Amino acid sequence: MLKELDTILTDALAAIEAIADDSALEEARVGFLGKKGRLTVAGAGMKDVPKEDKKAVGQKLNEVRTAITSALEEKKAGLVAAQDAAAFASIDATLPGRPLPQGGLHPLTHVLDEAVSVLRRMGFAIAEGPEIETEWHCFDALNTPEDHPARNERDTFYFENGKLLRTHTSSVQIRTMEKVEPPVRIIAPGSAFRRDEIDATHLSAFHQLEGLYVDKGVTLADLKGTLEFFFREIFGSKTEVRFRPHFFPFTEPSFEVDLKLQATGKAAKWIEIAGCGMVDPAVFDSVNEARKDDAYSPEKISGFAFGMGLDRLAMIMYGIPDLRLLIENDVRFLKQFV
Ligand code: PHE
């Protein structure tokens, strides 16, 4: 029996050595270790082995099984490695990868992110309001009389139900004050809509950034300081900022803000960039009327507001000559801002 086991081992190792694929490997496993395999059959002869030899024969049987099993495993690993090598042989690992097309942010998003990050550092929180507005939030509460030209059908998009597309983000001032008590320190970026003839400097849908600060003892000095700091953060610390008296129904006094900017190769020029002013007491009265309290009593608090065109800001920051480029979605244009 011991001799027979040796023969089986020799045969098995030779057979395994010669194997070249998975199916031959399986065949050999079944042929030696399977239910009717040679080793299994030989093992069944144990019962006829004399008692005193059983231990030695049993040991031998185990040794042979272990040897055949590990030879099979080794062969299996060898076959897998050979298959992998064959698969990789057709791949040139030194070839550079194929780049995936990568998207980028729209220039307006860049401008907005930058503006918002400066104002947030100054403690302004973001507020929102709907683009479809009531006349109350867009005009009445903002002290804009019935016959004001901005309310004209030719300038504003009206819906049949009397609502309208907001003509400015100033409506968010009212919505915010109706909801929360002072102090209020918010910015509201968003779309605004006007029935303008579309050209290089006008779009019927554009973007604004509104600001509102209401608290005890807010003064014009706070307004000037805030906007000067803001524009110098964006355009550089030496940027000259000018406040020019103007009129808005919802602020008193009101100003337009100009920046002295120099495009490369051109003479420095004053460019109008924002509207602002001290919140008109009539606006606070409207807010109190809607709130049914006097949280915004002009006797107790004061505030400033500002609004600027983000599209215009983008034009200046990036030297974009025509606003329409911002909405055409021409990839050749957009790619420059990635
Ligand atoms: N809403 C004004 C506009 O669209 C800008 C503005 C905002 C002016 C806040 C003063 C205060 O032109």
Side-chain angles (χ1 to χ4, degrees), residues 136-137 139-143 170-182 184 212 214 250 279-298 301:
W136 166 260
H137 291 102
F139 296 129
D140 296 316
L142 285 162
N143 195 35
S170 300
S171 52
V172 185
Q173 290 185 34
I174 305 301
R175 287 201 173 263
T176 306
M177 289 190 282
E178 282 177 352
K179 273 198 306 249
V180 299
E181 289 189 11
V184 164
L212 174 69
V214 181
F250 35 91
V279 178
D280 194 306
V283 172
F284 289 138
D285 289 341
S286 298
V287 168
N288 288 331
E289 184 189 320
R291 293 176 56 94
K292 300 191 178 64
D293 66 12
D294 69 343
Y296 285 86
S297 162
I301 45 96

Side-chain angles (χ1 to χ4, degrees), residues 20 28 59 66 80 88 90-91 98 105 107 109 126 132 141 148 162 165 189 200 202 225 229-230 255 263 301 326 332:
Q59 227 162 39
T66 311
V80 169
F88 283 123
S90 60
I91 294 174
R98 258 171 244 145
L105 295 178
T109 309
I126 296 203
I132 297 176
H148 191 279
L165 290 180
H202 296 86
F229 178 80
F230 172 75
F255 304 89
I301 45 96
L326 290 173
R332 290 167 302 175

Side-chain angles (χ1 to χ4, degrees), residues 9 34 60 103 149 169 220 239 259 267 270 310 319 330:
L9 181 59
K60 183 77 184 173
T169 44
L220 193 50
T239 307
L259 301 180
W270 286 104
L310 284 173
D330 184 330

Side-chain angles (χ1 to χ4, degrees), residues 272-333:
E272 179 203 322
I273 189 81
C276 67
M278 301 305 291
V279 178
D280 194 306
V283 172
F284 289 138
D285 289 341
S286 298
V287 168
N288 288 331
E289 184 189 320
R291 293 176 56 94
K292 300 191 178 64
D293 66 12
D294 69 343
Y296 285 86
S297 162
E299 310 291 315
K300 291 188 291 195
I301 45 96
S302 56
F304 68 70
F306 59 86
M308 65 187 91
L310 284 173
D311 313 78
R312 199 173 165 74
L313 210 55
M315 275 178 107
I316 298 169
M317 277 169 77
Y318 294 120
I320 298 169
D322 190 320
L323 265 185
R324 287 167 291 194
L325 287 164
L326 290 173
I327 55 168
E328 278 168 358
N329 284 338
D330 184 330
V331 177
R332 290 167 302 175
F333 169 74

Side-chain angles (χ1 to χ4, degrees), residues 168 170 173 194 208 210 248 250-251 275-277 305-307:
H168 53 187
S170 300
Q173 290 185 34
R194 289 180 198 170
Q208 289 193 326
E210 192 80 14
F248 296 104
F250 35 91
T251 46
C276 67
F306 59 86

Side-chain angles (χ1 to χ4, degrees), residues 181-194:
E181 289 189 11
V184 164
R185 189 155 33 172
I186 54 115
I187 43 174
S191 301
F193 309 85
R194 289 180 198 170

